Amino acid sequence: MLDLTLISAIETTLPPVFHARHLIDGKWQDSADGATTERRSPSHGTVVSRAAKGGTAEAEAAITAARAAFDDGRWSQLSGKARAAVLLKVAELIEANTDRMALIETLESGKPITQARGEVSGAADLWRYAASLARTLHGDSHNSLGADMLAVVLKEPIGVVSIITPWNFPFWILSQKLPFALAAGCTCVVKPSELTPSTTVILGELLAEAGLPDGVVNIVLGLGQPVGATLASDPRVDMITFTGSTAVGRGIAAAASATLKKVALELGGKNPQVIFPDADLASAADAVVFGIYFNVGQCCNSGSRILVHEDIAEAFTEKVVALSRKVAFGDPLDPATQVGAIVSPEHGAKIDGYVAAARKAGARVALGGGPLQVPGLGPQFYQPTVVTGVTPDMAIAREEVFGPVLTVLTFRTLDEALKLVNDADYGLSAGVWSENVHTCLAFARGAQAGTVWTNTWMDGFPEVTFGGVKQSGLGREIGRFGLDEFMEVKSLVMRIGRTRAPWVRGQG
């Protein structure tokens, strides 16, 4: 019997199947050919939602609506105050609908209900912060160019934005993009993952209730081919922002290149936490456990590898294993559950394949290492897994497993730790644990990552921008830099008086 903490299935009445449709130019509609997709709960096996399955026609119609809405200025030419008022109303409606949205997100994604509630309610703060940016948006001025010259640098909305979001944080990640695009004055076409479409559709209802003009936000449901491909390649789209795998991100960048539209990508990560002997080891161990099991490890910011100083490696790993056994895996609808289900059987098999390959390569599985059966529920769970004896060349140490699998490596010096951290294709985030401020600062300056945490993990705020380097992506989200992603910069140079000297000689 596994010595783990399991939460068995609870008795509950599941909601009726949610029917999701496209939102195009303010109208809800099915696909022209009647095609649909069906989503079964990874934890309960029941049908959660049926969604219209869009194609090229629906994607092009949505782009047409967004283009018209931008060009006629119904949103882009409103004052920042007017745009902010709508965003603030959306935030209120999100909070009022948190329980409804969290329940369906839990059933579609497999994440715990408490986590889903936190994400949905927390997303309201992203909308509020974006509203504040709408009212404080400004450019620059140059009043020192001479007595007869004045120049200003204007910020203008980039135009029509395609937004493609993933299944792991469907509402949170949408809220890292959409309110900032709207604050800038852009119009949008949104494509959620076909695995988790429903909270995006509910948001469409809330946008209409908040008074957003028709056509400003359009939602097209369906697969990457052809919907996502159309949103990336259509010349009427000025920008595409995507969150997902690095492989798909490369494809989107290639599709967008023909029209040279702006591309923002938030992609994968192989994020390290580095633990020095002088750290608060109890807090570090707890953060490591949180970092790898949060959202079942299906998180671009997952702390999927730890680098532990040789002097404490064995004892620290034992502490992490002991804490892992106490983490509650099980029914996502039980508020006591901390870790839910894997999103699909195919993804579960991929996770298990990485662990099997590591074993074959000589690594040791100190905990877990296989599927997990939760009493009363389906098979789409995976054990908390800790793999030791890992070498830097192993796939499990270099590639994004995207599951509850932690790899343990060791180091001797700060320079060696930084070499291991930076010897990766990814550069999304990194963390360091030490009571020595000099160690923390040296690590932070040397680590190739978009975010570095010291003595904490995955703390985030709407004000603090987020994004990666190397193959973890392009551009930034949230914070002021997140708003700037959706802006074009225009320089306006003005001459005061008739002071321009003629260029052609001999004029009278």
Side-chain angles (χ1 to χ4, degrees):
M1 183 175 178
L2 294 171
D3 183 18
L4 301 173
T5 302
L6 300 183
I7 305 292
S8 302
I10 62 173
E11 291 187 12
T12 187
T13 300
L14 298 179
V17 175
F18 184 85
H19 292 275
R21 297 189 295 168
H22 312 294
L23 176 63
I24 300 175
D25 204 13
K27 300 177 181 64
W28 295 101
Q29 55 189 263
D30 295 316
S31 295
D33 60 2
T36 62
T37 59
E38 185 176 87
R39 177 59 174 162
R40 289 185 174 272
S41 169
S43 54
H44 292 76
T46 57
V47 177
V48 181
S49 58
R50 290 191 182 93
K53 183 181 179 182
T56 303
E58 286 77 20
E60 290 181 345
I63 294 169
T64 298
R67 185 77 261 168
F70 183 79
D71 291 345
D72 67 20
R74 71 187 74 166
W75 182 252
S76 61
Q77 293 181 19
L78 291 181
S79 67
K81 178 182 178 180
R83 292 202 295 265
V86 175
L87 300 185
L88 291 172
K89 180 61 176 176
V90 174
E92 293 176 3
L93 292 170
I94 289 171
E95 290 178 333
N97 287 271
T98 291
D99 287 345
R100 173 193 177 202
M101 298 170 78
L103 176 58
I104 197 163
E105 183 159 311
T106 289
L107 291 172
E108 284 187 337
S109 69
K111 67 181 56 183
I113 187 69
T114 51
Q115 181 185 326
R117 286 179 184 141
E119 288 172 22
V120 174
S121 62
D125 199 34
L126 292 171
W127 286 80
R128 289 196 174 96
Y129 180 69
S132 74
L133 295 180
R135 296 201 65 169
T136 57
L137 178 64
H138 61 87
D140 203 353
S141 63
H142 298 272
N143 195 32
S144 58
L145 305 176
D148 60 345
M149 298 300 297
L150 176 65
V152 294
V153 178
L154 307 176
K155 290 185 178 180
E156 299 180 342
I158 197 168
V160 176
V161 179
S162 294
I163 299 176
I164 301 178
T165 56
W167 49 260
N168 58 337
F169 298 97
F171 192 73
W172 179 264
I173 289 176
L174 178 58
S175 296
Q176 289 191 156
K177 301 175 185 289
L178 181 57
F180 294 87
L182 293 176
C186 298
T187 61
C188 303
V189 181
V190 179
K191 191 202 91 65
S193 167
E194 68 276 9
L195 300 180
T196 53
S198 298
T199 52
T200 298
V201 172
I202 293 172
L203 178 62
E205 300 171 0
L206 305 186
L207 291 171
E209 186 176 348
L212 188 74
D214 291 348
V216 174
V217 172
N218 306 272
I219 299 170
V220 183
L221 311 176
L223 308 182
Q225 289 287 350
V227 176
T230 302
L231 298 186
S233 61
D234 194 295
R236 295 171 296 170
V237 173
D238 301 292
M239 174 183 175
I240 182 163
T241 173
F242 165 80
T243 295
S245 72
T246 297
V248 176
R250 289 193 195 101
I252 285 175
S257 66
T259 55
L260 291 179
K261 60 173 56 67
K262 185 174 183 178
V263 177
L265 304 172
E266 198 275 282
L267 306 175
K270 191 66 181 175
N271 313 295
Q273 294 200 61
V274 178
I275 297 96
F276 285 85
D278 67 337
D280 178 347
L281 298 181
S283 183
D286 184 82
V288 165
V289 171
F290 162 66
I292 190 57
Y293 302 131
F294 177 70
N295 212 57
V296 209
Q298 299 171 144
C299 176
C300 59
N301 254 340
S302 173
S304 56
R305 58 180 176 139
I306 58 172
L307 312 179
V308 190
H309 194 278
E310 289 177 359
D311 291 350
I312 60 169
E314 184 174 352
F316 187 81
T317 303
E318 290 175 356
K319 186 183 292 288
V320 168
V321 168
L323 288 178
S324 298
R325 296 186 187 279
K326 296 180 180 181
V327 177
F329 281 62
D331 189 343
L333 293 178
D334 191 322
T337 295
Q338 295 172 284
V339 184
I342 300 298
V343 70
S344 69
E346 296 78 13
H347 189 57
K350 177 185 173 184
I351 294 168
D352 200 44
Y354 275 106
V355 177
R359 275 196 178 107
K360 187 175 181 180
R364 184 177 74 86
V365 177
L367 178 69
L372 176 64
Q373 182 63 53
V374 175
L377 295 177
Q380 283 180 227
F381 293 82
Y382 202 83
Q383 298 173 37
T385 299
V386 178
V387 183
T388 62
V390 174
T391 56
D393 60 308
M394 293 181 183
I396 202 169
R398 304 189 66 83
E399 298 176 14
E400 190 175 37
V401 176
F402 226 59
V405 178
L406 178 70
T407 60
V408 183
L409 296 92
T410 62
F411 71 94
R412 193 74 211 166
T413 66
L414 173 61
D415 286 345
E416 184 183 354
L418 282 170
K419 183 178 179 180
L420 288 169
V421 165
N422 295 334
D423 182 27
D425 293 331
Y426 298 108
L428 188 58
S429 59
V432 59
W433 291 83
S434 172
E435 294 294 284
N436 188 319
V437 66
H438 303 291
T439 299
C440 292
L441 289 175
F443 177 87
R445 297 185 75 170
Q448 297 171 0
T451 298
V452 176
W453 285 288
T454 67
N455 297 311
T456 190
W457 187 256
M458 226 184 299
D459 286 331
F461 305 89
E463 297 87 348
V464 181
T465 198
F466 173 72
V469 300
K470 297 193 283 189
Q471 293 191 33
S472 287
L474 304 168
R476 291 296 182 265
E477 293 185 342
I478 67 177
R480 283 199 170 273
F481 293 102
L483 179 71
D484 286 345
E485 289 292 327
F486 299 103
M487 308 300 300
E488 284 283 16
V489 175
K490 176 188 288 183
S491 295
L492 173 60
V493 181
M494 298 170 281
R495 185 173 290 276
I496 303 169
R498 298 180 179 273
T499 61
R500 182 183 176 275
W503 183 71
V504 178
R505 298 170 184 167
Q507 297 187 59

